[in-house]
Amino acid sequence: METDRPMRSSVNKMYRTLTLGALTACVVAMLAACSGNDELEMAADSGEQQIYLEAQRYLENDSFDLAIRTLQMLESRYPFGRYAEQAQLELVFAHYGGREFEAAIEAANRFIRLHPQHPNVDYAYYMKGLAAYDIDGGFLASLVPTDDTKRDVGHMKEALAEFAQLLARFPDSPYAPDARLRMVHLRNMLARHEIHVANYYFRRGAYMAALNRGRYVVENLEQTPSVADGLAIMAQAYLLLGLDDLAIDTIEVLKANYPNHPNLDDNGEYTSVYTLQGLQRSWINKVSLGLFDPPEPPQFNYRPKPN
């Protein structure tokens, strides 16, 4: 059918990444604002199909602002027309392409609420996950590499929940394989975030809080690479809290599952600034009575190599 074409084009465009070329596009868009307004006025005088085709042309050219305005015009003029439902779905992608992530989520929720039995409603759920993941990135995040695991991860948890809902409702959706891969990535990032937080707590001397973060990774994110650091964090925290028996048990689990962890020496013994023998200080620190060369708090940043 004719209305199937825009969906395929939107899916193909979904994986494009905005680059520095977007800056040039912004300048061109500003220079062409008057021309765009004239085109919208012409479209308003056109029929339903012509307005819809104009919106598709804007999407093909990444003119997302014009596409949004045209799709909104189409829906307002023909709310029960042939292209009304498809326009609402295309509006989700247009907002996403224009980096209006909150608007994309709102448009997706509206489509799901109005058309819960639509054959392409799984697309709306999928786009909600994508938009939720990108919502805190901002435009500069696409240009400057950053460690997302050191930022607020609320958007990651939301995206994980959205993808989980997609898989629960539509396990055979064509978007399900990609959603599963993204969920694995999100779980890995959430686990890494917990490790960063545990390192912070060690620096602050909040050993019980660090222990809880490591335990959370081990118990709830058990299939992520960060489990190794989670165990090491638990062992270190137990040592600092004077819970030597629990530390020994945890070290044995670490040795059995991750013998190459940097906190284990060649003999499989646990090594750290803090060990069962206490604080490991250099001779300079000892001679200066702790004034110089103080031991650094433990830091964990191990990434196991894939098998």
Side-chain angles (χ1 to χ4, degrees):
M1 290 180 61
E2 190 173 15
T3 54
D4 289 336
R5 181 187 59 80
M7 176 58 66
R8 291 196 296 270
S9 65
S10 295
V11 173
N12 291 333
K13 288 153 65 67
M14 190 182 308
Y15 298 99
R16 296 181 182 174
T17 302
L18 292 175
T19 62
L20 286 172
L23 296 174
T24 304
C26 290
V27 176
V28 173
M30 293 174 62
L31 295 176
C34 294
S35 174
N37 289 333
D38 291 341
E39 291 185 44
L40 285 175
E41 291 177 3
M42 293 174 61
D45 296 330
S46 305
E48 178 186 7
Q49 184 179 35
Q50 185 60 35
I51 297 176
Y52 180 77
L53 293 177
E54 282 295 299
Q56 295 310 303
R57 183 169 66 86
Y58 291 138
L59 288 174
E60 291 292 335
N61 294 328
D62 292 346
S63 300
F64 297 113
D65 181 61
L66 291 174
I68 291 169
R69 293 159 65 187
T70 305
L71 289 167
Q72 290 173 338
M73 177 196 304
L74 174 62
E75 186 181 0
S76 65
R77 289 172 63 89
Y78 302 97
F80 305 105
R82 177 184 180 187
Y83 299 97
E85 293 182 3
Q86 186 67 23
Q88 292 171 7
L89 202 56
E90 293 288 352
L91 191 59
V92 178
F93 174 75
H95 281 302
Y96 178 81
R99 303 191 67 79
E100 299 177 357
F101 302 124
E102 291 183 355
I105 294 173
E106 182 179 349
N109 282 329
R110 178 171 179 263
F111 184 87
I112 293 170
R113 184 174 65 254
L114 294 176
H115 313 289
Q117 303 303 320
H118 192 280
N120 291 321
V121 71
D122 56 334
Y123 175 79
Y125 281 99
Y126 177 67
M127 291 301 294
K128 282 178 64 179
L130 292 183
Y133 175 77
D134 289 331
I135 200 167
D136 285 343
F139 177 70
L140 292 179
S142 65
L143 306 177
V144 181
T146 59
D147 187 350
D148 288 347
T149 64
K150 294 183 179 180
R151 298 192 290 117
D152 177 73
V153 294
H155 66 297
M156 295 186 193
K157 294 179 180 178
E158 183 180 350
L160 190 65
E162 297 293 357
F163 287 132
Q165 188 175 32
L166 168 66
L167 295 179
R169 292 175 177 268
F170 307 99
D172 298 324
S173 167
Y175 309 106
D178 184 72
R180 291 189 181 94
L181 292 176
R182 291 179 183 273
M183 288 182 68
V184 171
H185 175 66
L186 286 166
R187 284 173 56 84
N188 290 344
M189 295 184 73
L190 289 172
R192 196 76 241 153
H193 174 77
E194 295 296 318
I195 301 302
H196 288 315
V197 175
N199 287 334
Y200 167 78
Y201 282 137
F202 274 129
R203 292 194 298 271
R204 295 295 299 270
Y207 305 136
M208 181 60 72
L211 170 64
N212 289 336
R213 295 288 179 158
R215 181 188 293 131
Y216 179 84
V217 172
V218 173
E219 294 179 354
N220 297 284
L221 300 168
E222 64 278 2
Q223 294 182 349
T224 66
S226 296
V227 169
D229 272 345
L231 288 167
I233 285 169
M234 291 176 63
Q236 184 66 88
Y238 282 137
L239 290 172
L240 295 172
L241 292 169
L243 303 173
D244 293 352
D245 290 341
L246 292 175
I248 293 173
D249 291 341
T250 305
I251 292 170
E252 290 300 317
V253 176
L254 179 66
K255 289 166 59 176
N257 293 277
Y258 304 98
N260 296 321
H261 193 276
N263 282 88
L264 297 174
D265 62 20
D266 293 338
N267 297 320
E269 299 299 324
Y270 188 81
T271 60
S272 178
V273 173
Y274 298 95
T275 68
L276 290 175
Q277 287 71 44
L279 178 65
Q280 302 302 297
R281 301 163 56 193
S282 68
W283 68 269
I284 296 177
N285 184 259
K286 293 178 181 178
V287 170
S288 65
L289 301 179
L291 294 177
F292 300 103
D293 193 26
E296 292 291 330
Q299 295 289 298
F300 300 91
N301 192 32
Y302 174 57
R303 308 292 177 90
K305 295 181 180 180
N307 296 326

